[in-house]
Amino acid sequence: MAQANEIITLSVGRDVPFNKLILSEQNVRRVKAGVSIEDLAEDIARRGLLTSLNVRAQVDDDGYETGFYRIPAGGRRYRALELLVSRKRLAKTAGIPCIVSSGETPEAEDSLAENVRRVDLHPLDQYRAFQTLREQGIGEEEIAARFFVSAAMVRQRLRLASVSPRLLELYANEDIKLEQLMAFSITNDHARQEQVWDTISRQQVREPYYIRRLLTETTVRASDRRSVYVGIDPYETAGGFVMRDLFEQDNGGWLQDPALLEQLALEKLTADAEALKAAEGWKWVEAAFDFPYGHIAGLRRFYGHQAEMTEEEIARYGVLKAEYDELDATHAKAEEPCEETEHRLEELGSELDRFNDRPYVFDPQDVARGGVFVSLDAGGELRVERGFVRPEDEPKPETVETDAAIFRSDVARDVAGSSSTGGVSICGRAMDDQAEEEDDVIRPLSDRLVVDLTATRTVALRNALANNPAVAFIAVLHAFVLKTFYPYSSDTCLELTLQSARFGQSEGLAATVWVKEIDQRQEAWGQDLPKAPDDLWDFLIALDEVSRLALFAHCASLSLNAVIEPWNKRTRAIAHADQVARSMGFDMVAAGWTPTVDAYLGRVSKAHILHAVREAKGEESAHRIDHLKKADMAREAERLLEGSGWLPEPLRMAIREASADMPETAVGDIARNTCDLGEAEASDLAAFLAEEVNVDKATTEPHDSFQAEQQHFDAAE
């Protein structure tokens, strides 16, 4: 016989005077969370008590009801009502809607059940509710105030209106996470959203950052230098649209019309360049977003000088410097930092910088034949390189009668003198007259004799210079500086060649930190060196030793070339480059090179990308991205390789790795061919390389070449 279902009787509801309610000690909520008591009180005052209190009748020792009721569930609502009563906005005897429990279950269980069984509103339902209120004419700020949430949170929920209904349905069915849905909201293009979802739904990588990347791959970030240079307002005025992300920090969003941005940036750059040319009087100005590294090759550089400060400026500078030094000393001795002092130091420092950064003044004649390169730096500011002269604009030298011309003139005079004698025979009296003339007149020395004498002097001077290292160093430095800073001058007796490869074919070099440091050094020395090459020797003699060494290193460094070209492997030169690197403890990881999409990953095949990830992060990481398209794989690999210290083969120590797989005889061959050495020197180098091979073999046999290289880097560190 079927058992009848038990009939459930619900607890009754009644209004209980507020002064008859007391909190139960069995309420499980102890930690403050959610809407504050004060906000909840304001909400009750606005729309009344939406949820009744759960209460139990309090009884005395004999089991009789006392007329008071304990509250095991609803403590926050009671506190809010209590606050309204204390502010005299609610009477003490006001009836409070309550559900009176029969008391068959423990009070703590009732309190726990009410909190655990409560389900927060789904974000999609919250979005729809906010949307309904906004359609009724209620603004975002008012909605936020009514529900005690931030206006940004309301805008974020309303932003879900930009998401495709298909994706919203998937989210309601829990096929898409909220973080993923928020990533889709950065664009209003429903077709593109669905296309991206169809793409990522077939693969493992579904993170929000990856969704945003796919949605913005045809846009330009607002932090891009062109965007900063043009400005968002002019771009939008011209009809451009900016895509923004309300859920994440987007640094201003993404500009969706790259062609329009490029046009605006180019027009503004051209206008700024022409304005600079007209204002300063340059003969030519070239403008571009970027110039290739080495674009100034073949051009002479000249430098201006800072305008002298007036007496008033000098006096003002002295006062500011004294105040700055005094404040700085006091601040350094203080036990606790003082914000007022730090602020004043910043003000003084900024004003002193304005004095030190006075504009440079150029010679008007140089400006009339010189030019300027105008480009954009990484921050969107104009980068102006002034003072370059093209070969065709160089001033023409004045005509000077050379020694050869003087010699030809003397010969002509001699011939003319002989003709006036009426054609006397050379074998006769003319020879006697010439002999007598040679005894009386000092004639120029023969060319052969001059060569012999100066060769003798050269050898003696070489010997003397070899015994005076200080002057020898200055002489070499003099030749280097002439070649580096005075390209059309040859005022040196040293037959040295200082070549500097420009690498104009390699994109992106000009933006690297290394090129910027080199350019800063070049600029600083160019300002300090004398304008005329004739004054250079005296300048170098007067220079202190540390500065001479720094200048020598700068000039010598510009001739270093470790490029491996397809038609010229330059094995011996690359081996020497590795020796130089090891002597300085240099490696590309410490120098700051990282495998980015632009620098490496976007320029190699998928197999190379996977090989790099496999070497640095292991097979599992490589497997995670092996199904991606090349562009996506390169971007993911860049993220995976960040901080790994991985280097491609051309950036590793070529000789060390090559020698690890060579027999010792092959190393000996390399040593003998490295440079023109004597037998003893070649033998020493071969032994040195062979010794390195043994060390490398012992180190690298248990590991691959990348791990061995990492150990070398760690040891150097």
Side-chain angles (χ1 to χ4, degrees):
M1 182 175 180
Q3 184 177 0
N5 292 331
E6 181 181 356
I7 302 300
I8 300 173
T9 302
L10 298 178
S11 299
V12 298
R14 70 176 65 170
D15 288 346
V16 177
F18 176 79
N19 57 359
K20 297 295 183 178
L21 296 173
I22 56 176
L23 281 178
S24 171
E25 295 181 358
Q26 300 300 316
N27 194 306
V28 297
R29 187 184 291 274
R30 296 286 189 270
V31 180
K32 295 180 180 179
V35 179
S36 69
I37 298 299
E38 186 162 346
D39 290 342
L40 182 57
E42 290 298 325
D43 189 75
I44 294 173
R46 175 182 176 79
R47 57 177 59 87
L49 188 64
L50 298 180
T51 305
S52 302
L53 304 182
N54 182 275
V55 300
R56 293 192 180 196
Q58 185 168 339
V59 297
D60 57 18
D61 295 338
D62 297 328
Y64 295 103
E65 293 186 4
T66 63
F68 288 89
Y69 294 85
R70 296 189 309 277
I71 307 173
R76 297 182 70 254
R77 279 162 281 164
Y78 173 79
R79 293 295 188 192
L81 294 169
E82 185 180 41
L83 182 61
L84 293 174
V85 170
S86 67
R87 292 178 176 177
K88 301 188 182 304
R89 300 179 66 184
L90 182 69
K92 292 182 179 180
T93 58
I96 307 300
C98 298
I99 301 296
V100 182
S101 175
S102 60
E104 296 179 359
T105 55
E107 292 184 14
E109 182 178 330
D110 287 359
S111 176
L112 180 62
E114 186 192 52
N115 289 281
V116 170
R117 301 303 180 191
R118 182 185 305 163
V119 178
D120 290 336
L121 191 65
H122 194 279
L124 191 56
D125 293 330
Q126 191 179 42
Y127 144 66
R128 289 167 176 162
F130 287 163
Q131 183 79 351
T132 300
L133 293 176
R134 189 169 66 173
E135 290 173 356
Q136 294 174 357
I138 304 175
E140 296 170 356
E141 298 289 342
E142 178 64 20
I143 295 174
R146 289 186 181 185
F147 294 96
F148 307 102
V149 295
S150 66
M153 186 264 192
V154 175
R155 284 192 290 269
Q156 288 175 355
R157 290 292 182 263
L158 292 175
R159 181 71 177 184
L160 296 180
S162 65
V163 180
S164 163
R166 175 189 165 196
L167 298 183
L168 291 177
E169 184 179 353
L170 290 172
Y171 173 53
N173 296 331
E174 299 184 352
D175 293 327
I176 297 180
K177 297 179 181 178
L178 178 60
E179 293 78 9
Q180 295 171 322
L181 195 70
M182 292 189 299
F184 280 109
S185 70
I186 65 173
T187 178
N188 296 321
D189 189 343
H190 291 179
R192 178 59 178 160
Q193 292 172 354
E194 294 175 7
Q195 181 185 24
V196 169
W197 171 251
D198 291 338
T199 298
I200 67 171
S201 61
R202 296 190 296 267
Q203 61 190 41
Q204 297 177 351
V205 182
R206 301 184 184 182
E207 282 78 2
Y209 79 88
Y210 185 57
I211 296 173
R212 292 186 181 92
R213 178 181 294 172
L214 293 179
L215 290 172
T216 60
E217 61 184 358
T218 59
T219 63
V220 177
R221 277 194 171 274
S223 56
D224 182 89
R225 57 179 177 167
R226 294 166 297 173
S227 307
V228 175
Y229 178 59
V230 172
I232 299 299
D233 290 341
Y235 167 78
E236 291 181 324
T237 301
F241 180 75
V242 180
M243 180 192 307
R244 300 188 184 276
D245 187 353
L246 295 179
F247 298 95
E248 296 287 339
Q249 179 65 34
D250 62 7
N251 295 319
W254 295 266
L255 282 65
Q256 290 192 284
D257 195 339
L260 175 61
L261 175 64
E262 189 88 3
Q263 176 188 345
L264 295 174
L266 186 58
E267 290 175 354
K268 183 178 181 182
L269 186 64
T270 303
D272 288 345
E274 290 299 324
L276 177 69
K277 178 181 177 182
E280 299 184 8
W282 298 97
K283 181 176 182 180
W284 54 267
V285 173
E286 287 191 17
F289 295 138
D290 278 309
F291 289 104
Y293 180 61
H295 63 284
I296 61 175
L299 305 181
R300 177 173 65 86
R301 181 80 183 269
F302 62 87
Y303 300 89
H305 63 278
Q306 283 186 312
E308 297 294 334
M309 289 192 294
T310 63
E311 294 183 0
E312 293 80 4
E313 290 174 334
I314 294 174
R316 175 63 178 166
Y317 183 86
V319 172
L320 293 174
K321 189 67 169 63
E323 183 181 355
Y324 182 90
D325 292 340
E326 182 179 355
L327 271 180
D328 187 46
T330 304
H331 183 63
K333 295 178 181 178
E335 295 181 358
E336 296 183 0
C338 176
E339 293 185 5
E340 184 178 351
T341 302
E342 291 177 352
H343 181 67
R344 180 55 181 165
L345 283 173
E346 290 180 2
E347 291 180 346
L348 292 172
S350 299
E351 195 165 353
L352 289 172
D353 288 340
R354 284 194 291 271
F355 281 103
N356 294 326
D357 298 336
R358 301 186 310 281
Y360 285 88
V361 179
F362 293 85
D363 188 328
Q365 293 182 352
D366 290 335
V367 172
R369 69 171 66 97
V372 178
F373 293 99
V374 179
S375 58
L376 291 182
D377 62 15
E381 299 290 335
L382 278 182
R383 182 172 185 258
V384 181
E385 300 173 274
R386 295 178 174 86
F388 296 92
V389 181
R390 293 166 173 164
E392 61 269 23
D393 295 331
E394 289 289 352
K396 298 296 186 284
E398 297 180 1
T399 303
V400 179
E401 194 173 21
T402 63
D403 292 340
I406 296 174
F407 175 74
R408 287 194 297 270
S409 178
D410 291 343
V411 171
R413 285 195 298 271
D414 292 343
V415 173
S418 299
S419 300
S420 64
T421 61
V424 179
S425 173
I426 296 178
C427 296
R429 186 169 58 83
M431 293 296 295
D432 295 337
D433 293 343
Q434 182 178 359
E436 292 178 1
E437 187 177 354
E438 286 181 354
D439 292 338
D440 297 336
V441 180
I442 299 177
R443 304 289 297 170
L445 299 178
S446 66
D447 292 343
R448 178 55 184 270
L449 180 57
V450 171
V451 170
D452 291 343
L453 291 175
T454 52
T456 303
R457 180 177 182 271
T458 298
V459 173
L461 191 56
R462 284 182 177 181
N463 185 58
L465 189 62
N467 289 295
N468 195 327
V471 177
F473 176 81
I474 296 176
V476 174
L477 175 59
H478 178 262
F480 281 7
V481 175
L482 285 174
K483 181 65 177 178
T484 304
F485 293 92
Y486 308 89
Y488 301 107
S489 177
S490 58
D491 305 335
T492 177
C493 62
L494 273 61
E495 295 181 340
L496 299 176
T497 299
L498 187 73
Q499 298 178 346
S500 182
R502 298 297 179 179
F503 317 125
Q505 74 282 1
S506 299
E507 296 183 4
L509 275 183
T512 62
V513 63
W514 313 300
V515 167
K516 291 179 180 178
E517 290 184 9
I518 292 173
D519 290 345
Q520 288 172 359
R521 281 195 299 270
Q522 182 84 1
E523 178 80 16
W525 279 114
Q527 298 289 352
D528 292 341
L529 292 172
K531 185 175 182 180
D534 293 341
D535 301 328
L536 178 60
W537 181 263
D538 293 336
F539 174 85
L540 296 178
I541 290 292
L543 204 61
D544 62 273
E545 184 177 357
V546 174
S547 299
R548 276 200 296 260
L549 287 172
L551 180 57
F552 182 87
H554 172 68
C555 296
S557 69
L558 296 180
S559 68
L560 191 149
N561 187 357
V563 174
I564 301 175
E565 298 167 319
W567 58 87
N568 185 9
K569 301 302 183 182
R570 306 176 69 243
T571 305
R572 292 179 293 177
I574 301 305
H576 179 244
D578 286 344
Q579 289 177 331
V580 172
R582 283 196 295 271
S583 298
M584 296 187 295
F586 171 86
D587 72 84
M588 287 298 292
V589 175
W593 189 91
T594 55
T596 63
V597 172
D598 294 334
Y600 179 76
L601 298 169
R603 304 174 62 182
V604 297
S605 65
K606 293 176 66 174
H608 281 94
I609 297 174
L610 292 174
H611 175 70
V613 174
R614 191 176 293 113
E615 272 196 331
K617 306 298 289 187
E619 185 65 39
E620 182 179 352
S621 296
H623 178 67
R624 288 183 58 193
I625 65 173
D626 59 5
H627 62 284
L628 298 176
K629 294 181 179 179
K630 180 183 174 182
D632 297 333
M633 180 185 291
R635 286 191 287 262
E636 285 303 300
E638 177 180 332
R639 185 178 64 86
L640 291 171
L641 293 175
E642 183 178 0
S644 67
W646 181 87
L647 292 174
E649 290 291 335
L651 298 185
R652 304 180 191 178
M653 294 293 186
I655 289 298
R656 293 184 74 253
E657 294 190 348
S659 61
D661 298 326
M662 291 182 181
E664 294 183 9
T665 55
V667 177
D669 292 338
I670 291 177
R672 284 189 292 274
N673 293 318
T674 298
C675 53
D676 296 329
L677 301 174
E679 288 187 4
E681 291 172 315
S683 176
D684 292 342
L685 182 56
F688 168 76
L689 292 175
E691 187 173 301
E692 280 211 342
V693 170
N694 295 333
V695 173
D696 285 354
K697 282 183 177 180
T699 305
T700 60
E701 280 179 359
H703 309 283
D704 60 21
S705 59
F706 172 68
Q707 291 171 324
E709 200 61 48
Q710 286 300 109
Q711 291 177 357
H712 166 69
F713 293 156
D714 294 341
E717 188 68 28

